Amino acid sequence: MAQKGDLLSVREDIRVVDATIRDGGLCNNFEFPDEFVKALYNANVKAGVDYMEFGYKASKELFNEKDFGKWKFCNDDDIREIVGENNTDLKIAVMADVGRTDFKNDILPKNESPIDLVRIATYINTIPAAVEMIEDCAKKGYETTINIMAVSKARTEDIITALDILGKSPVNAFYIVDSYGALYPEESRKLAELYCSYGEKYGKAVGIHAHNNQQLAFANTIEAMTQGVSYLDATVDGMGRGAGNCALELLLGFLKNPKYKVDPILKMLEYTQQFRESGVKWGYDVPYMLTGQYNTHPRPAISFVKDDRKDYTNFAHELFDIINS
């Protein structure tokens, strides 16, 4: 496919999605003070960000509300306390995991909710259940995306089959999700070409959600964008599970559309610095690099960092044994 746009052009189809509360919530158990969430909402409005993802719509049957901050569940009333009637151009998003969301009961009709977009997260082997969720949310009036997780582990033929099935659903956008931070820009480009070819076939947009295990989240995001990907996920200060994500301030500073302004997001770094000083951990580190290179879940690296270990060589050998056992 031909490159779409260049370094000086404005792509009107681009949509910037701030995932700080949702992905960053995996670092602090979703226990963000309302002051921060409100400030981030206002900053996103001023920065021209298109969507703000508030967190998960997790099932209260599977997860105890007492064990998490409220953005694990994103009750509509809690969102309204932050956004009011949201009389802005910023749209509100939540994530709903296949198998972990009581979507028929907890996701109300759109005309009763402040939410605009439901991002449905699935693995390649649960596509039929994802389609059921897409159809339910679309009937209720929501925009939807389908976020196929751990795509670096999926076989190309399975991805093609999934995109064909999903293309026939009412979903608005397909998402490339580099859950393990394992992709290199060349691979991101090839996946973007594939996803965008099916996007064009079925009239769907394409998005990317990148992790920074190999310090490539930003590079992978803009590389995919050159091939036509238009929904771009990012977080303030790269805050997110493990190695974190594409940094929102990097992305807004790169995009040439004058609607996007980086200064409001730079001010939010004062908050994320406070989170770091209080002991919340995320961002590039050698153990995350290793799980990215091994194309595996960062869970062992998260434990390594939490324990404040520094024996990187031992960890590399442990990880090799885990993967090859």
Side-chain angles (χ1 to χ4, degrees):
M1 296 177 67
Q3 178 171 311
K4 192 169 183 180
D6 55 48
L7 287 174
L8 294 180
S9 63
V10 170
R11 291 250 312 269
E12 298 294 344
D13 61 318
I14 293 297
R15 300 291 181 268
V16 174
V17 181
D18 168 37
T20 306
I21 302 300
R22 200 274 306 166
D23 212 320
L26 296 167
C27 303
N28 69 349
N29 212 33
F30 303 93
E31 293 172 348
F32 291 100
D34 285 356
E35 175 193 4
F36 169 73
V37 180
K38 181 70 173 180
L40 179 57
Y41 167 73
N42 289 330
N44 279 325
V45 171
K46 293 176 183 176
V49 169
D50 299 284
Y51 293 87
M52 177 174 170
E53 186 179 45
F54 270 70
Y56 286 96
K57 271 285 189 183
S59 169
K60 294 164 189 172
E61 295 293 321
L62 297 177
F63 301 95
N64 190 331
E65 287 186 271
K66 295 179 181 179
D67 294 337
F68 301 91
K70 57 188 172 185
W71 306 114
K72 177 77 169 179
F73 305 95
C74 284
N75 295 322
D76 287 2
D77 288 344
D78 289 331
I79 296 176
R80 283 196 184 92
E81 286 185 11
I82 302 297
V83 309
E85 294 301 316
N86 189 32
N87 296 316
T88 74
D89 293 331
L90 177 69
K91 292 185 176 182
I92 306 304
V94 294
M95 180 162 281
D97 278 345
V98 169
R100 295 184 174 184
T101 304
D102 185 6
F103 60 94
K104 292 183 178 180
N105 295 311
D106 289 343
I107 299 179
L108 303 177
K110 171 67 186 80
N111 59 12
E112 301 175 23
S113 172
I115 297 166
D116 300 291
L117 168 66
V118 179
R119 285 152 53 94
I120 294 157
T122 183
Y123 288 100
I124 201 77
N125 64 330
T126 53
I127 295 298
V131 170
E132 180 187 21
M133 292 177 67
I134 291 166
E135 291 175 344
D136 181 82
C137 292
K139 285 178 182 176
K140 289 174 178 174
Y142 293 98
E143 298 175 40
T144 58
T145 68
I146 186 67
N147 295 38
I148 305 175
M149 297 183 290
V151 70
S152 60
K153 283 284 193 181
R155 298 183 304 173
T156 301
E157 55 265 39
D158 290 338
I159 295 173
I160 290 171
T161 299
L163 293 174
D164 231 355
I165 293 169
L166 293 163
K168 297 166 186 173
S169 79
V171 77
N172 296 95
F174 308 136
Y175 252 89
I176 302 164
V177 183
D178 184 18
S179 301
Y180 301 156
L183 296 178
Y184 294 99
E186 181 178 357
E187 295 169 303
S188 295
R189 182 171 66 250
K190 290 177 179 177
L191 281 169
E193 290 174 350
L194 175 62
Y195 276 61
C196 287
S197 68
Y198 279 85
E200 291 178 3
K201 178 179 178 180
Y202 289 107
K204 314 294 185 184
V206 177
I208 183 167
H209 179 88
H211 278 262
N212 206 36
N213 296 60
Q214 301 183 84
Q215 300 201 61
L216 291 171
F218 176 59
N220 284 328
T221 298
I222 62 175
E223 184 67 25
M225 186 182 74
T226 67
Q227 302 306 306
V229 169
S230 55
Y231 280 62
L232 310 177
D233 281 19
T235 63
V236 176
D237 203 6
M239 187 178 187
R241 184 204 64 192
N245 304 92
C246 175
L248 184 57
E249 59 274 14
L250 268 175
L251 183 61
L252 294 179
F254 170 80
L255 295 172
K256 297 303 183 285
N257 191 330
K259 71 169 273 191
Y260 296 123
K261 298 173 175 60
V262 71
D263 279 2
I265 301 304
L266 293 178
K267 292 179 181 177
M268 296 305 301
L269 299 179
E270 297 174 13
Y271 285 93
T272 57
Q273 183 59 37
Q274 291 173 22
F275 295 155
R276 290 183 186 275
E277 290 173 354
S278 71
V280 181
K281 294 184 177 182
W282 74 90
Y284 171 79
D285 203 342
V286 171
Y288 297 128
M289 176 200 76
L290 292 168
T291 57
Q293 290 177 346
Y294 279 124
N295 191 18
T296 193
H297 197 286
R299 195 175 294 109
I302 292 171
S303 178
F304 181 97
V305 172
K306 184 178 180 181
D307 292 341
D308 201 28
R309 290 174 57 185
K310 302 297 180 185
D311 53 326
Y312 298 117
T313 302
N314 288 340
F315 177 74
H317 295 162
E318 292 169 10
L319 192 61
F320 181 87
D321 290 340
I322 291 171
I323 294 169
N324 294 285
S325 60

